Amino acid sequence: MRAPEISTISLPFLFFLPRLTSQPRPLRPLRQHPAVSPGNRLLLVTLFLTVPLLWGCSASSPARRSQTEFLLGTAVTITVFEANNPRPALTAAFERTREIQNRMSINREEYETTEILEVNRHAGQAPVKVSDDTLLVIREGIKAGHLTGGAFDITIAPLIALWGMGTETPSVPTKEEILRARSALDFRSLVVDEESRTVFLPRPGMALDVGGIAKGYAVDEGARILREAGIQHALLDYGGDIVTVGEHPRGTPWRIGLQHPSGERDRYLGVLSSRDESVVSSGAYERFFEEEGVRYHHIFDPATGYPSESGLTSVTVVGPRAIITDALSTAIFVMGLEAGMKLMEELPGYEAIIATGDDRIILTPGVADRFERTAPEYALFVACSCGTDHPLGGGQPREGLALPESPVCPEGLASSPFTNRLVGTPPRQQDQKGPGKN
């Protein structure tokens, strides 16, 4: 008897893995979770920019319609399941995405002018009237800047332009050039007039780049349109900014695979079960260049003017609004583990999965019971307000690693905003084989 097929999308950040069973199964101890491997009988499907449809459906797969367009500088794919006549909703979602791009892009090769380009051109000269969309995104960007202590800064454009990120000729600037570009970064000085609907950059040389938050807003809007059209099962992937609408038609969570920090296409950090939420990842593997044997990635620290060296290799943030998870994933990558986890404790409803350069995966408690590690070389921990990352298992043993007798910390729970939520399961002190291995 032929094994059922699962259609999977191989993407820079995430892939989707619907459950085969009709009922959700409880998560087993992490060392027993099956790895994504040929033995699981997966039909892997690579999605290229020129291919608008998904293949690999078995005869019993739910009816679906998928559409892909190149927008916001990336492949935007919306897949709708078990919907009657989804074409109007798909068309409306893509038109809405295009509208946001037309207002906020800073791509001079494609646009002679947009609202953001006009704001940048009038820096130090005059306020520019903008649409409600642009005003909202800028307002949320400023909030994210304050929330993250400047780790997220929508006035980062001069620094990105200086390094040439996104061009065919990126290069390392001089220290003097970096200092000059940094002097133009200051989201706090942005002048937003709600009454007149204007935005003003007060100094010449300043410039906005809302790409780190506008994509999240666009996928939020796409999902809103689908829901208002009555669509109950859908996946939206805006270049790694994911929104799950409802659950899989079989009544199980969507299965979202997180790209391994190595960047290898068929290698994954883990799998997240997801219903009705956004899932956004940032990593140093996304875009980078090498110069004189040194790799430079695209996530900049506004405080230094250089690519972030926080010790993190991947950050995934999960929550109800992609406009927020989009900004947070970038900001936490810059902030580092300790500051990032402290920030997450202050944001009810938002969770994080963080991979570090020393092969650890740190989870906030709200995702600990729905994340399956598929990278056996990583040790798995759940963060706690007591200051200890409680082990869940896996990875190679490290000198000085103290494993508590119980991962449940009464002291931490008593003072933690995560009270009454999962803090851990018994640690796997000898778990070195990894999931799916005997």
Side-chain angles (χ1 to χ4, degrees):
M1 178 174 151
R2 188 168 65 92
E5 297 175 341
I6 303 176
S7 296
T8 324
I9 309 173
S10 181
L11 294 165
F13 309 97
L14 307 167
F15 69 94
F16 308 119
L17 197 61
R19 284 287 195 195
L20 288 178
T21 54
S22 58
Q23 295 296 327
R25 64 173 180 173
L27 295 180
R28 293 173 290 174
L30 288 181
R31 68 175 174 184
Q32 299 178 13
H33 284 156
V36 177
S37 67
N40 284 17
R41 306 294 295 169
L42 303 184
L43 176 63
L44 297 180
V45 179
T46 302
L47 177 64
F48 298 96
L49 300 187
T50 55
V51 181
L53 300 177
L54 304 178
W55 309 304
C57 296
S58 66
S60 60
S61 297
R64 65 181 176 184
R65 184 181 183 87
S66 184
Q67 182 174 333
T68 300
E69 295 187 21
F70 193 83
L71 295 166
L72 305 171
T74 190
V76 171
T77 300
I78 303 176
T79 306
V80 175
F81 294 77
E82 293 190 343
N84 293 324
N85 189 25
R87 184 184 294 275
L90 282 170
T91 299
F94 278 103
E95 286 179 350
R96 180 69 174 124
T97 302
R98 193 172 293 104
E99 180 180 39
I100 292 169
Q101 172 181 276
N102 293 344
R103 288 173 172 168
M104 303 182 203
S105 175
I106 58 171
N107 188 337
R108 297 176 185 272
E109 294 182 1
E110 293 187 10
Y111 291 93
E112 181 178 336
T113 187
T114 66
E115 292 177 5
I116 296 296
L117 284 175
E118 285 304 305
V119 172
N120 293 346
R121 285 169 181 154
H122 288 82
Q125 300 176 21
V128 174
K129 191 174 184 64
V130 298
S131 64
D132 289 347
D133 283 333
T134 302
L135 196 70
L136 182 151
V137 168
I138 290 173
R139 187 191 308 123
E140 292 295 325
I142 294 172
K143 288 181 183 177
H146 286 293
L147 182 68
T148 62
F152 184 84
D153 191 334
I154 58 174
T155 65
I156 196 83
L159 194 61
I160 295 174
L162 176 64
W163 282 78
M165 282 296 181
T167 71
E168 296 181 358
T169 57
S171 61
V172 180
T174 66
K175 291 182 179 180
E176 292 74 18
E177 290 172 328
I178 290 173
L179 284 173
R180 284 196 296 271
R182 279 184 55 211
S183 67
L185 311 187
D186 186 10
F187 72 92
R188 296 174 180 86
S189 68
L190 266 171
V191 180
V192 177
D193 190 322
E194 297 281 353
E195 185 174 346
S196 63
R197 321 302 281 176
T198 60
V199 178
F200 179 51
L201 292 166
R203 298 194 306 276
M206 294 184 72
L208 294 175
D209 182 345
V210 296
I213 194 169
K215 193 165 60 169
Y217 177 61
V219 70
D220 279 338
E221 284 293 282
R224 176 186 63 79
I225 287 170
L226 296 186
R227 291 184 177 111
E228 290 179 354
I231 292 174
Q232 300 179 16
H233 312 286
L235 294 167
L236 298 91
D237 170 31
Y238 282 41
D241 285 28
I242 306 296
V243 170
T244 57
V245 174
E247 60 185 4
H248 191 274
R250 297 187 181 97
T252 57
W254 300 109
R255 306 278 291 161
I256 303 180
L258 277 60
Q259 175 65 57
H260 193 282
S262 68
E264 297 177 38
R265 177 165 293 278
D266 294 324
R267 195 175 176 197
Y268 302 99
L269 189 67
V271 180
L272 178 72
S273 297
S274 174
R275 286 183 173 96
D276 252 332
E277 63 188 359
S278 67
V279 183
V280 180
S281 294
S282 293
Y285 51 84
E286 297 168 26
R287 295 197 304 275
F288 59 87
F289 71 93
E290 292 187 2
E291 186 171 308
E292 296 184 356
V294 179
R295 176 181 289 196
Y296 298 92
H297 62 77
H298 74 295
I299 303 178
F300 290 97
D301 183 347
T304 66
Y306 287 87
S308 171
E309 296 182 355
S310 64
L312 305 184
T313 56
S314 173
V315 175
T316 298
V317 180
V318 182
R321 298 180 64 202
I323 192 173
I324 294 177
T325 54
D326 199 6
L328 287 178
S329 66
T330 301
I332 292 173
F333 192 95
V334 173
M335 297 168 71
L337 181 60
E338 184 176 354
M341 281 298 179
K342 184 176 180 181
L343 173 63
M344 291 305 301
E345 287 189 4
E346 301 170 358
L347 300 173
Y350 290 84
E351 308 292 343
I353 302 164
I354 299 177
T356 67
D358 59 353
D359 293 341
R360 290 180 294 155
I361 300 172
I362 316 295
L363 312 175
T364 54
V367 290
D369 60 345
R370 56 190 180 103
F371 175 80
E372 300 175 18
R373 174 178 53 88
T374 59
E377 72 276 17
Y378 278 80
L380 190 59
F381 299 85
V382 176
C384 178
S385 63
C386 71
T388 299
D389 295 332
H390 298 299
L392 291 185
Q396 301 298 321
R398 291 180 177 77
E399 183 178 355
L401 179 61
L403 299 180
E405 293 182 2
S406 169
V408 178
C409 176
E411 178 183 354
L413 283 176
S415 61
S416 173
F418 301 132
T419 298
N420 297 324
R421 296 167 65 185
L422 178 68
V423 171
T425 58
R428 310 292 189 230
Q429 194 161 5
Q430 301 301 322
D431 177 21
Q432 297 180 39
K433 295 180 180 180
K437 297 185 179 182
N438 296 320

